Amino acid sequence: MATKVENCVEMKEIYKTFLLNQTKALKGANLCVKKGAIHTLLGENGAGKTTLMRILCGLEKMDSGRIFVNGRHVIIRNQHDALNHGIAMVHQNLSLIEDFTALENIVLQRTPLKFGVFVDLDQARKKIERLMENSGIFVDLDRKVAGLSVAERQKVEILRVLYLEAEILIFDEPTSYLNEIESDQFLRTIRKLRDSGKTVIFITHNAQDALSVSDQITVLRNGTTVYSSEDNNPSLAELTKMMAGETQIFRRQNVHESGKNLISIENVVLREKKRVIGPVSFQIREGEILGIAGFDSSGAVELMEILAGTRRPSDGKIIFLKKDITFQSISERRKIGIGYIPQKKIQVGLSTKLSVAYNLIVNNYKKFSRAGWLNHRKIEEWSNQLAREYEIKISSVWQPADTLSGGNMHRVVIVRELKSKPKLLIACNPTAGLDMKSTDFVHRSFLELCNQGSSILIYSNDLDEILKICDRILVMSKGRLVREFKNTYTLTKDRLIEAMLVHESKPALA
Amino acid sequence: MFMKVNRRWLKVFLFTLVVAFICGSVIILTTSKNPLTAIRWFCLGPVSNTYFLGNMLSGSIPLVLTGLAAVIAFSAGTFNLGLEGQLYFATFCATIVALHLEGLVRSFSIPLILFVAFIVGGLAAAFSGVLKILFRVDELLSSFLIGQALIYIADYFLNGPFRDPFAGLSASKYISGSMMFSKILPPSDLHSGVFVAIAISVVVYFVLRFSNLGYQIKVTGSNHDFAHYGGIKVHWVWLVALFLSGGMAGLGGTIDVLGVHGRMMKGFSFGYGFNGIAVALIARNNPISVIPSALLFSYLEVGAQVSSIMADVTPEVSKIVQATIFYLITAESLADFLIGKKVAAHGR
Ligand SMILES: Nc1ncnc2c1ncn2[C@@H]1O[C@H](COP(=O)(O)OP(=O)(O)OP(=O)(O)O)[C@@H](O)[C@H]1O
Ligand SMILES: [Mg+2]
């Protein structure tokens, strides 16, 4: 009736201080979301995006500020209240229960009951199947979540919030763990959701993504809103500047060809129940950055795990500096200079309940010990120095790791592995979840490490990243190496994608 | 920061304490003909004279040690439900050794007896660790089952070959007085073993907090995937933690025998193991907080005994109260909620 489109969520002058470490995460943040729009919340690591949304979902209490939903002032005390207002969130670190099936995970928060006591999964299944048809998001409801890829897990999460009948859907950095194709698909999905009348709040630090899908953009910097778009269209450069300020893009592509052989992988095979990965053979030279491109289903992650030592190959040999390390454990491999940034940074790369300092020293705590006792003063000094040097935002190195922002947690993992000066660094999606400035920083650190003679093996969903820093690129598809490229200026993303699809005769994504 | 955490713990502890006594009083109110005297004895009995006080303190000693045993196992992310059996069997073995040690100097024999108890208890627990590592047997089940079996084995010997024929119940012969801890507050049971218990708590605290081993245990306990990834030998840590845990349990029973009973009696330690787990839960895995938690349990026990002597209450009151506390702390979030802390949020 009115010409003005209604704002379905308004957050005004939100302040939030974390008592634990006296961090002022939000200092007067504002947010104004139109009904039926895709609203992007843009900001660097630690800007307060997650915190703002957790407040909206009732997961965090604000110090002061007001929230309006559909024009009415509301008080949101807990997740339940938020859900009553139709607000639900897909978290930054997907939080599904591994041992449950997709279906069980979806209904977990609101279990349908028969006679008030028995769980009625059939009724839920019908409802979810209807949802899948309407939204075009399909997953195998009976598979255990443990066996799903991240993209599939995300779909489960989306179905979960749809099942809760949320009208306002919040996605916390959903694209940071997806590859190009999956990201595109995801963006299409949220457009579809918007067209069906839902409101979407989309958190990211990727200005490009923000521009391509959103109807509205809010930029958060250091806990305050520095920009919110009405109708004017900001340019990419403007947005980037508003988020952070300076960033530089660089390319290197001087191919190392002279280095000695550092590691040889010979006919490595991994046989699992349903599939076989390999045989795979390749070498990495000293000082080289080798990239592996492939979908999550290509087996590249498993290959990285085999090299790092968290997984045993069924067959084949790994020779590192002329020594057979096929049967060495990860701790032995760490000793001879293999570092590892795992795919699951939060679940495996960190212990979130332990302090940041304890997380930083796990691979070298013996350096701080004398006669079996740890010198905590030295640990503190060293961790403080690292935090300063790598700009990890913390107020004390003894605060638990789960009080850091998502990006800062990732930094802890990366910094720890870089600092051990490995001869070979194995990195899975090293910059997923990092903003442009930190990504740039990680890439620089990688190059510096290589200049000191170390080698790096990178698997990344982000093909731009691979093209940016690798000397040589191997492409994996359905468990096999299909192409090898020298990274010259003529190599393009399209050629990589084409190779990635070689064995994917039928689209693997159901 | 650590101070803050401790203050928070103190709040929860006081809360538990108040609930315990309210709950005990309510039970007495409903069962006793003369509730006021009964409640007074229940609440204040243990501190009304040195005899009860001494008994209360000495009763807490085995609980401190089983509490520590549970703390160590929990910290490494393992569950040792076999404390009861490990304690019983280790004490039995230690008693047998003590009976063969006539004529040794005291400063040598007591440590030797304790050492035997530690090793036997430790091995019994570590065996569950071996099963866990080699055959992926859940240590929670195996430690419990093996523990129960050990109790029957010890009972068999106690009833048979090692029974003191002159005793009216199945018990071993008396250990020579020269190998016993000396009494501190006669005529109460309090004995110098209390200092051993305190010293061990302090050592465990420092080891868990500041040593390499403590670091490895904490990392493994908080996320074993991360520990493995970081190069820590997770299996080894599990074994060591279970060994230490069983060892502590063994010490707990043996100190009790050397201080109070003077011989091994059938069923003397009933409940020490499981109460130890409750003590560790109340202490939130902090070896120092184990001491007040154990005192609380012992206080309830003695309070119930006193009020059953002085008034018409059954001593089982303490069991009911302990069970209530157990439920309360298991539903930990309830306590958090009631003292005005927000419920832990899921996801992030
Ligand atoms: N539970 C907590 N306790 C203490 N400090 C916290 C807690 N959660 C977040 N913070 C702090 O608040 C600030 C904002 O964090 P927030 O998670 O909102 O950042 P973000 O914008 O989501 O960043 P990212 O892109 O890295 O995920 C950070 O400095 C972080 O350390
Ligand atoms: Mg975040």
Side-chain angles (χ1 to χ4, degrees):
Chain A
M1 39 175 193
T3 45
K4 214 179 96 205
V5 187
E6 219 185 320
N7 281 327
C8 72
V9 172
E10 266 183 86
M11 300 181 78
K12 286 195 174 154
E13 292 295 311
I14 309 287
Y15 284 81
K16 169 75 190 173
T17 311
F18 284 105
L19 292 179
L20 182 66
N21 48 11
Q22 294 301 322
T23 314
K24 292 199 170 60
L26 294 173
K27 299 170 243 176
N30 290 300
L31 177 73
C32 201
V33 183
K34 262 192 240 160
K35 198 178 190 96
I38 296 180
H39 191 115
T40 303
L41 191 55
L42 197 61
E44 289 199 290
N45 291 141
K49 307 177 294 283
T50 303
T51 307
L52 187 65
M53 288 301 106
R54 282 173 63 86
I55 288 174
L56 185 58
C57 288
L59 294 172
E60 210 77 75
K61 245 190 248 159
M62 57 189 172
D63 304 342
S64 67
R66 281 176 304 159
I67 302 176
F68 298 87
V69 176
N70 294 325
R72 279 202 358 257
H73 183 211
V74 296
I75 290 166
I76 297 175
R77 279 183 230 91
N78 50 39
Q79 257 178 312
H80 230 77
D81 287 355
L83 206 53
N84 285 340
H85 295 298
I87 303 171
M89 175 158 168
V90 173
H91 293 278
Q92 187 162 4
N93 313 311
L94 300 179
S95 48
L96 296 170
I97 300 176
E98 304 258 329
D99 271 351
F100 281 19
T101 63
L103 180 66
E104 287 162 339
N105 265 293
I106 292 172
V107 300
L108 196 59
Q109 229 170 326
R110 187 183 283 170
T111 348
L113 294 181
K114 204 163 23 183
F115 313 125
V117 264
F118 303 109
V119 180
D120 185 0
L121 280 181
D122 291 335
Q123 183 197 334
R125 182 188 298 274
K126 277 195 204 106
K127 184 171 166 193
I128 295 166
E129 273 163 2
R130 226 175 306 126
L131 281 177
M132 292 207 282
E133 237 143 70
N134 293 342
S135 61
I137 306 166
F138 291 96
V139 288
D140 183 351
L141 289 177
D142 296 316
R143 288 255 309 269
K144 286 245 168 78
V145 163
L148 299 181
S149 73
V150 256
E152 287 167 311
R153 283 167 193 232
Q154 191 186 44
K155 287 184 189 165
V156 174
E157 288 260 17
I158 298 177
L159 286 172
R160 183 176 65 82
V161 291
L162 288 179
Y163 172 80
L164 291 171
E165 289 165 356
E167 286 301 316
I168 301 162
L169 312 179
I170 305 170
F171 294 95
D172 196 353
E173 308 207 8
T175 47
S176 63
Y177 42 79
L178 300 180
N179 65 31
E180 310 262 330
I181 292 178
E182 291 162 344
S183 286
D184 269 355
Q185 251 183 9
F186 171 78
L187 296 182
R188 241 178 290 138
T189 307
I190 62 173
R191 278 197 204 102
K192 216 183 284 171
L193 288 174
R194 173 197 54 193
D195 295 341
S196 69
K198 309 266 181 201
T199 308
V200 176
I201 302 178
F202 167 47
I203 303 182
T204 181
H205 42 242
N206 185 336
Q208 185 83 59
D209 280 354
L211 281 174
S212 68
V213 292
S214 37
D215 303 311
Q216 287 181 303
I217 297 175
T218 294
V219 180
L220 218 54
R221 186 167 74 210
N222 249 330
T224 40
T225 305
V226 291
Y227 170 83
S228 56
S229 69
E230 283 306 321
D231 298 311
N232 54 332
N233 282 319
S235 72
L236 183 61
E238 275 176 313
L239 275 184
T240 317
K241 217 157 120 202
M242 278 183 283
M243 272 166 63
E246 15 61 74
T247 40
Q248 287 175 356
I249 310 247
F250 63 92
R251 288 177 80 89
R252 107 177 187 154
Q253 256 135 24
N254 48 338
V255 181
H256 280 259
E257 292 209 309
S258 50
K260 273 187 296 173
N261 207 343
L262 179 68
I263 184 169
S264 317
I265 289 85
E266 294 171 8
N267 292 317
V268 164
V269 181
L270 178 72
R271 270 183 281 274
E272 284 187 328
K273 264 177 246 147
K274 281 193 184 152
R275 58 175 184 169
V276 177
I277 294 169
V280 174
S281 307
F282 62 94
Q283 278 116 31
I284 306 176
R285 286 187 284 269
E286 282 177 358
E288 182 182 43
I289 303 185
L290 177 65
I292 294 193
F295 297 109
D296 276 353
S297 59
S298 68
V301 177
E302 286 79 359
L303 180 63
M304 306 294 263
E305 288 171 354
I306 289 174
L307 296 188
T310 53
R311 215 185 252 273
R312 278 270 149 85
S314 322
D315 223 328
K317 251 194 203 165
I318 306 169
I319 312 282
F320 183 76
L321 287 175
K322 305 207 172 100
K323 256 180 46 202
D324 189 341
I325 60 163
T326 318
F327 295 105
Q328 287 197 352
S329 70
I330 183 162
S331 60
E332 288 165 304
R333 293 191 201 193
R334 277 188 175 280
K335 264 185 223 134
I336 54 173
I338 298 183
Y340 178 39
I341 299 174
Q343 168 83 338
K344 296 183 179 164
K345 293 185 196 57
I346 313 290
Q347 293 90 336
V348 176
L350 284 177
S351 179
T352 49
K353 291 204 187 71
L354 288 186
S355 63
V356 172
Y358 276 3
N359 272 293
L360 280 170
I361 60 168
V362 72
N363 53 357
N364 65 353
Y365 64 94
K366 293 216 171 102
K367 262 202 340 220
F368 299 97
S369 88
R370 259 197 26 220
W373 295 89
L374 290 173
N375 183 339
H376 279 65
R377 178 125 30 85
K378 265 200 206 145
I379 293 175
E380 182 168 341
E381 269 169 31
W382 188 76
S383 313
N384 265 324
Q385 187 200 326
L386 282 195
R388 233 177 295 123
E389 194 179 329
Y390 290 86
E391 295 177 30
I392 303 172
K393 272 200 197 167
I394 44 173
S395 46
S396 152
V397 294
W398 299 115
Q399 79 189 76
D402 62 3
T403 61
L404 300 188
S405 82
N408 279 310
M409 288 192 213
H410 284 204
R411 269 184 230 202
V412 170
V413 180
I414 293 168
V415 167
R416 180 186 56 221
E417 298 305 313
L418 278 176
K419 265 293 153 180
S420 67
K421 295 253 157 67
K423 291 201 192 88
L424 172 67
L425 178 62
I426 299 170
C428 291
N429 284 315
T431 58
L434 294 184
D435 58 32
M436 261 159 85
K437 216 166 94 195
S438 333
T439 302
D440 207 50
F441 186 77
V442 169
H443 289 165
R444 272 168 209 288
S445 314
F446 278 8
L447 292 190
E448 200 183 311
L449 190 66
C450 283
N451 288 337
Q452 295 163 4
S454 304
S455 315
I456 303 180
L457 175 65
I458 298 180
Y459 164 70
S460 178
N461 287 329
D462 181 359
L463 296 181
D464 285 322
E465 170 168 55
I466 288 191
L467 284 171
K468 195 159 126 195
I469 62 168
C470 293
D471 301 315
R472 199 155 55 97
I473 299 171
L474 301 173
V475 179
M476 255 182 113
S477 178
K478 285 269 148 139
R480 289 169 178 261
L481 289 179
V482 287
R483 289 288 309 262
E484 174 175 349
F485 295 101
K486 283 214 178 94
N487 193 2
T488 58
Y489 281 98
T490 52
L491 185 63
T492 59
K493 245 201 277 189
D494 296 339
R495 286 183 57 200
L496 288 181
I497 292 179
E498 193 187 311
M500 281 159 68
L501 287 167
V502 166
H503 287 314
E504 308 262 340
S505 47
K506 273 185 225 131
L509 307 159
Chain B
M1 190 192 121
F2 294 116
M3 281 314 292
K4 238 184 236 162
V5 173
N6 275 333
R7 215 175 302 151
R8 219 176 100 51
W9 179 81
L10 209 64
K11 269 195 210 164
V12 176
F13 182 71
L14 289 178
F15 174 80
T16 318
L17 201 100
V18 170
V19 169
F21 283 101
I22 291 180
C23 156
S25 306
V26 168
I27 295 167
I28 294 173
L29 260 182
T30 53
T31 55
S32 170
K33 282 197 204 94
N34 194 353
L36 286 184
T37 7
I39 289 176
R40 222 195 64 210
W41 282 113
F42 176 66
C43 294
L44 300 176
V47 287
S48 61
N49 61 41
T50 52
Y51 177 70
F52 291 140
L53 181 70
N55 281 359
M56 192 269 281
L57 293 177
S58 83
S60 71
I61 296 172
L63 291 180
V64 167
L65 284 151
T66 50
L68 290 175
V71 164
I72 296 173
F74 284 152
S75 300
T78 52
F79 292 93
N80 184 359
L81 283 194
L83 292 176
E84 200 86 42
Q86 290 147 18
L87 179 149
Y88 199 66
F89 190 72
T91 307
F92 171 72
C93 295
T95 310
I96 301 306
V97 171
L99 288 173
H100 288 84
L101 275 185
E102 296 294 333
L104 263 177
V105 257
R106 182 183 166 69
S107 57
F108 184 74
S109 61
I110 290 185
L112 181 68
I113 295 167
L114 293 181
F115 179 75
V116 169
F118 190 81
I119 299 290
V120 172
L123 288 179
F127 184 62
S128 294
V130 173
L131 292 180
K132 178 184 172 80
I133 292 160
L134 291 186
F135 306 110
R136 293 170 177 257
V137 178
D138 195 335
E139 81 282 4
L140 187 141
L141 291 174
S142 73
S143 65
F144 177 71
L145 294 176
I146 294 171
Q148 290 307 102
L150 287 177
I151 291 180
Y152 287 117
I153 293 174
D155 274 346
Y156 165 76
F157 284 108
L158 211 52
N159 247 331
F162 292 99
R163 179 172 176 154
D164 177 2
F166 303 108
L169 66 175
S170 36
S172 72
K173 290 202 188 91
Y174 277 100
I175 297 169
S176 119
S178 70
M179 269 175 263
M180 298 275 291
F181 286 113
S182 45
K183 296 273 189 249
I184 297 180
L185 207 62
S188 81
D189 285 339
L190 187 60
H191 53 91
S192 53
V194 70
F195 301 117
V196 179
I198 294 175
I200 291 177
S201 311
V202 173
V203 170
V204 171
Y205 174 78
F206 277 96
V207 167
L208 279 184
R209 185 86 192 272
F210 297 114
S211 73
N212 282 4
L213 178 66
Y215 178 74
Q216 292 167 341
I217 286 179
K218 266 180 295 191
V219 172
T220 306
S222 64
N223 180 349
H224 65 261
D225 285 334
F226 170 67
H228 176 66
Y229 153 84
I232 288 173
K233 297 193 178 80
V234 173
H235 287 170
W236 177 244
V237 174
W238 278 339
L239 266 187
V240 171
L242 281 172
F243 180 81
L244 292 179
S245 172
M248 290 293 155
L251 287 183
T254 309
I255 292 178
D256 204 35
V257 162
L258 292 188
V260 179
H261 309 292
R263 59 178 174 169
M264 172 89 183
M265 286 179 304
K266 186 175 177 192
F268 83 103
S269 64
F270 184 73
Y272 285 175
F274 283 104
N275 283 340
I277 291 172
V279 163
L281 285 175
I282 297 181
R284 300 242 168 148
N285 257 358
N286 180 331
I288 295 295
S289 315
V290 158
I291 296 175
S293 309
L295 283 174
L296 170 65
F297 263 67
S298 179
Y299 196 106
L300 290 173
E301 195 80 48
V302 174
Q305 268 169 29
V306 175
S307 63
S308 74
I309 299 170
M310 303 295 185
D312 59 339
V313 185
T314 64
E316 269 67 43
V317 174
S318 75
K319 295 283 175 304
I320 302 177
V321 177
Q322 283 167 358
T324 315
I325 298 181
F326 202 88
Y327 284 126
L328 276 179
I329 47 172
T330 323
E332 198 174 324
S333 51
L334 183 67
D336 278 357
F337 182 71
L338 288 176
I339 59 168
K341 274 275 167 185
K342 77 172 193 348
V343 189
H346 108 111
R348 191 169 137 69

